[in-house]
Amino acid sequence: MPHPETWLKVTPSGLFCEPGGFYVDPLRAVDRAVVTHAHSDHARPGHRAVLASEATLALMRTRMGDEQAGLMQQTAAWGERVRIGEVTLWLEPAGHVLGSAQVAMEWRGSRVVVSGDYKRAADPTTPGFVVIPCDVFVTEATFALPVFHHPRPESEIARLLESVALFPERTHVVGCYSLGKCQRLVALLRAAGWDAPLYLHGAHMALCETYEALGVPLGDLRPATVAGKDALVGAIVLAPPSAVADRWARRLAEPVVCAASGWMRVRQRAKQGGVELPLVISDHAGWDELNATLDEVAAPEVWVTHGREEALIHAAAKRGIRGRALRLLGYGEEEA
Ligand SMILES: [Zn+2]
Ligand SMILES: [Zn+2]
């Protein structure tokens, strides 16, 4: 059985599967790409052929237009086997954002799974992570430090709603990524009983429409920019992290600046961003989830694409798992 190092290679364009002739989440435009999910650091524009889940391709088209999403677009259903060159490939859910997939590849009896970004916590807007046993598991390590323990998102949403009840004359503006986090927050708020309209920054609106078209109901969403100031008193507004701290937010009624991110675990980050109410809600696996996943996929070897690889590789080594840092530059900024 050939070792995966001999057929899955780190190149300046990203991970290249030689016997298949394709890249996984290439960092620049290539001839043939397999894309795990539609965040901008993984889904780059301008590839010739793109294979991805149906939802990922739909979200890519919303973000970059039909042509930039791939001249040839091929979807694969969960678990559907696809032959590319000499390689058999299939996708399984990664639980990160809608459409997010792990890429499983087999060549001559050796199996590699590239997880892309993933989480293990339940998320009403996306199917949950599926464990695929493999010879090499390629993982992210965004939050691979023991300090990154993510609380239950429901309890963070409860804190937000408590604050809204406490300050009914103010507008709560929540900084969140436009793909994934925004829709998850909406769904969590609906599940917590918030039926009132939610107001969105323009950047968030189009992706919410695509989520709804893909069968994820989000309720009454309205553009914050056209809403009168009075309508926003006591309301919740969702906006990109870059917008909450600037002029855009200042037109709101005495805004309470909130942010929903795994990084809100780090007090310094919240302070720097002027965040009054930090909500620790992450779409990436925390320390416990990362380690549990390594145990469950039972791969003798783990490759770490980006993030805090030292701690994860050290923890893996203690359990007899060989670790390798790929140091792929270019991942990590989801909304670059
Ligand atoms: Zn991502
Ligand atoms: Zn990423």
Side-chain angles (χ1 to χ4, degrees):
M1 201 174 77
H3 190 279
E5 268 179 15
T6 65
W7 59 275
L8 190 63
K9 301 201 166 154
V10 177
T11 76
S13 296
L15 265 185
F16 181 60
C17 175
E18 227 165 48
F22 61 86
Y23 293 84
V24 180
D25 288 352
L27 297 156
R28 48 180 87 151
V30 299
D31 185 57
R32 191 175 257 281
V34 177
V35 173
T36 60
H37 67 288
H39 275 145
S40 57
D41 53 334
H42 298 259
R44 311 266 172 172
H47 306 308
R48 187 187 60 84
V50 174
L51 173 76
S53 70
E54 185 194 350
T56 290
L57 272 167
L59 291 162
M60 285 174 71
R61 287 192 293 269
T62 300
R63 300 203 100 169
M64 56 184 83
D66 189 27
E67 192 164 309
Q68 289 298 304
L71 291 178
M72 289 172 58
Q73 300 172 17
Q74 184 184 0
T75 63
W78 300 128
E80 179 189 341
R81 266 49 177 182
V82 179
R83 187 93 183 163
I84 305 183
E86 300 169 23
V87 174
T88 301
L89 170 152
W90 68 99
L91 308 177
E92 296 287 1
H96 173 58
V97 299
L98 184 60
S100 65
Q102 305 173 72
V103 180
M105 292 166 276
E106 270 182 3
W107 185 61
R108 296 190 179 163
S110 125
R111 183 190 291 177
V112 177
V113 171
V114 177
S115 65
D117 294 337
Y118 66 99
K119 70 172 175 291
R120 305 299 303 272
D123 177 343
T125 65
T126 177
F129 182 94
V130 169
V131 169
I132 315 167
C134 51
D135 301 303
V136 166
F137 184 63
V138 183
T139 184
E140 59 146 325
T142 304
F143 291 122
L145 286 175
V147 63
F148 290 112
H149 170 75
H150 306 322
R152 291 179 62 247
E154 291 80 7
S155 60
E156 298 299 283
I157 292 295
R159 289 175 51 233
L160 171 60
L161 292 178
E162 277 163 27
S163 179
V164 171
L166 201 58
F167 303 109
E169 74 290 353
R170 299 177 67 183
T171 302
H172 282 69
V173 54
V174 187
C176 54
Y177 286 142
S178 61
L179 169 56
K181 188 63 59 64
C182 167
Q183 296 78 21
R184 188 183 183 200
L185 291 178
V186 170
L188 285 165
L189 282 162
R190 298 305 185 207
W194 186 267
D195 296 327
L198 284 162
Y199 294 89
L200 304 187
H201 185 278
H204 288 8
M205 210 64 186
L207 288 164
C208 284
E209 281 163 14
T210 305
Y211 263 62
E212 292 223 286
L214 291 164
V216 180
L218 298 173
D220 188 350
L221 305 178
R222 300 181 188 183
T225 31
V226 300
K229 203 170 177 173
D230 290 348
L232 298 178
V233 171
I236 299 173
V237 175
L238 305 182
S242 57
V244 299
D246 74 12
R247 229 154 39 95
W248 187 85
R250 265 183 256 141
R251 62 180 283 273
L252 306 170
E254 293 183 69
V256 178
V257 174
C258 319
S261 163
W263 293 112
M264 289 300 108
R265 174 61 78 197
V266 184
R267 204 153 293 172
Q268 195 72 9
R269 284 244 184 174
K271 235 185 204 164
Q272 276 167 4
V275 176
E276 200 173 330
L277 181 62
L279 304 170
V280 186
I281 300 178
S282 175
D283 282 333
H284 296 268
W287 178 247
D288 297 338
E289 295 168 75
L290 289 165
N291 281 287
T293 304
L294 293 195
D295 289 336
E296 287 176 47
V297 300
E301 193 166 323
V302 59
W303 296 357
V304 183
T305 52
H306 65 290
R308 311 302 295 259
E309 58 258 37
E310 317 83 9
L312 190 61
I313 286 172
H314 183 72
K318 281 203 280 195
R319 311 204 294 283
I321 303 168
R322 181 180 173 233
R324 179 182 171 210
L326 301 184
R327 294 198 180 84
L328 288 168
L329 302 176
Y331 299 127
E333 289 303 325
E334 320 250 62
E335 307 271 318

